[in-house]
Amino acid sequence: MTDFKESPIMYGIALAVIAFIIAQSLFFAIKSWKHGKKLGITSETLKNTVISSVLFTIAPSISILVTVIVLANALGIVLPWIRLSVVGNLAYETVAAETSLGVLGGSLSNPVDNPVAFSTIAWAMTIGAGFPLFYLPLVCKKLQMKIGDTINKNDNTKKLGDVLSAAAFIGIISAFIARAINGCATTKELVLDSAGNQMLNEAGEAITKNVITESSGVISILTLICAIIFMLIFTALCQKVKKLEKFESFAMPLAMFAAMGCAILFTKVLPAELSTFTWYSVGGVM
């Protein structure tokens, strides 16, 4: 039986979306090239611009690839491929999928085998990412002007604006760090009696329990620490070595891959009782 997450229909939708995106990109690339020639820009300059643009799309592409790999276990390869080919990023897509799965009693560590749940997750990811496309053109300009007028009144308000921006960013990062340090995922399972029959409450509804399917532990902490260390090293190298300045955008994806490699190494090298140690017992009830 064909997996509905990677059925011919899903691949057909993906190919149609990718074809449209490629056609749109080529259209604007050709129009831009022609307009550049009209402005008197030389072909050599245009070629160098295209080459540098292509090179600097590699870093964000690596982050996108990582996101597809992370989501593929639960959602298959096609839906993450479609989503991240249009609009999305690691932070948003994983949060949207994980939040939806949490409500449905699942996690990214387990494949989604319910078509209704899969459809719900797809809608949550798509509507959430599509909303700003309508919201920003209508509201953002006016909102940005009002915020700009407020923040730029004097030096004190400028400093306050910087603090608020930094606080918002730190808050988002802290949510991910907190999950890496002390997070767990649960799924709902039916409660059965000794004969294996489904138990019901007084209202005749099935009784369920939250079973832990994933938990942070020693490997989570070590991976987090490695990611921070690698990010600091790569960023410092790019800032101190002039020839490496243009590669600073590669620091985050490289740090992510390096930390993943360290996680595999720790799993192989550390004693089993340490590498598998988690704060919450996987399979236990929460």
Side-chain angles (χ1 to χ4, degrees):
M1 183 177 178
T2 304
D3 186 355
F4 67 88
K5 298 190 294 292
E6 298 183 7
S7 64
I9 294 176
M10 288 296 295
Y11 274 106
I13 295 172
L15 292 174
V17 171
I18 300 303
F20 175 79
I21 292 171
I22 292 174
Q24 184 186 55
S25 301
L26 289 174
F27 173 79
F28 285 108
I30 294 170
K31 294 283 286 186
S32 300
W33 185 282
K34 291 181 178 178
H35 187 64
K37 296 294 287 185
K38 287 181 180 179
L39 294 175
I41 301 175
T42 63
S43 297
E44 187 65 26
T45 301
L46 290 172
K47 288 179 181 178
N48 290 334
T49 302
V50 170
I51 292 172
S52 61
S53 298
V54 170
L55 290 175
F56 281 98
T57 60
I58 295 175
S61 296
I62 294 174
S63 298
I64 289 173
L65 176 61
V66 172
T67 310
V68 172
I69 294 172
V70 169
L71 296 175
N73 180 57
L75 304 176
I77 196 70
V78 183
L79 179 60
W81 179 26
I82 295 172
R83 287 289 313 115
L84 290 155
S85 296
V86 182
V87 57
N89 56 46
L90 175 63
Y92 167 74
E93 300 299 337
T94 51
V95 169
E98 203 162 23
T99 302
S100 302
L101 282 167
V103 173
L104 297 169
S107 72
L108 290 177
S109 61
N110 299 313
V112 176
D113 53 10
N114 187 323
V116 175
F118 181 79
S119 176
T120 301
I121 295 165
W123 275 110
M125 295 167 70
T126 303
I127 293 175
F131 182 73
L133 301 178
F134 297 97
Y135 175 79
L136 293 178
L138 297 174
V139 180
C140 187
K141 186 175 181 179
K142 293 181 180 178
L143 183 63
Q144 189 176 22
M145 290 175 64
K146 289 183 178 180
I147 294 175
D149 292 340
T150 302
I151 292 177
N152 294 323
K153 283 182 178 180
N154 52 57
D155 291 339
N156 290 330
T157 54
K158 286 182 179 179
K159 292 179 180 178
L160 177 61
D162 294 337
V163 171
L164 292 175
S165 298
F169 179 75
I170 292 171
I172 295 172
I173 299 301
S174 297
F176 286 98
I177 293 176
R179 178 172 178 77
I181 294 175
N182 194 41
C184 70
T186 61
T187 184
K188 291 186 180 296
E189 291 187 5
L190 296 172
V191 177
L192 306 177
D193 59 21
S194 58
N197 299 315
Q198 179 179 313
M199 296 184 66
L200 305 177
N201 59 20
E202 295 179 356
E205 300 170 337
I207 301 175
T208 60
K209 57 184 178 181
N210 290 325
V211 178
I212 298 172
T213 57
E214 180 184 343
S215 172
S216 299
V218 172
I219 295 297
S220 301
I221 301 297
L222 293 176
T223 304
L224 174 63
I225 293 172
C226 287
I228 294 172
I229 292 173
F230 281 120
M231 186 66 186
L232 291 173
I233 292 173
F234 294 150
T235 302
L237 285 173
C238 292
Q239 290 176 347
K240 292 183 178 180
V241 182
K242 290 186 177 180
K243 292 183 179 180
L244 299 178
E245 285 181 354
K246 56 184 179 181
F247 295 106
E248 189 170 356
S249 57
F250 289 82
M252 187 180 73
L254 287 175
M256 292 170 64
F257 277 112
M260 289 179 188
C262 288
I264 296 172
L265 179 64
F266 292 140
T267 303
K268 297 291 185 180
V269 173
L270 294 176
E273 60 271 15
L274 185 60
S275 64
T276 59
F277 182 80
T278 56
W279 318 138
Y280 306 97
S281 177
V282 176
V285 179
M286 175 172 278

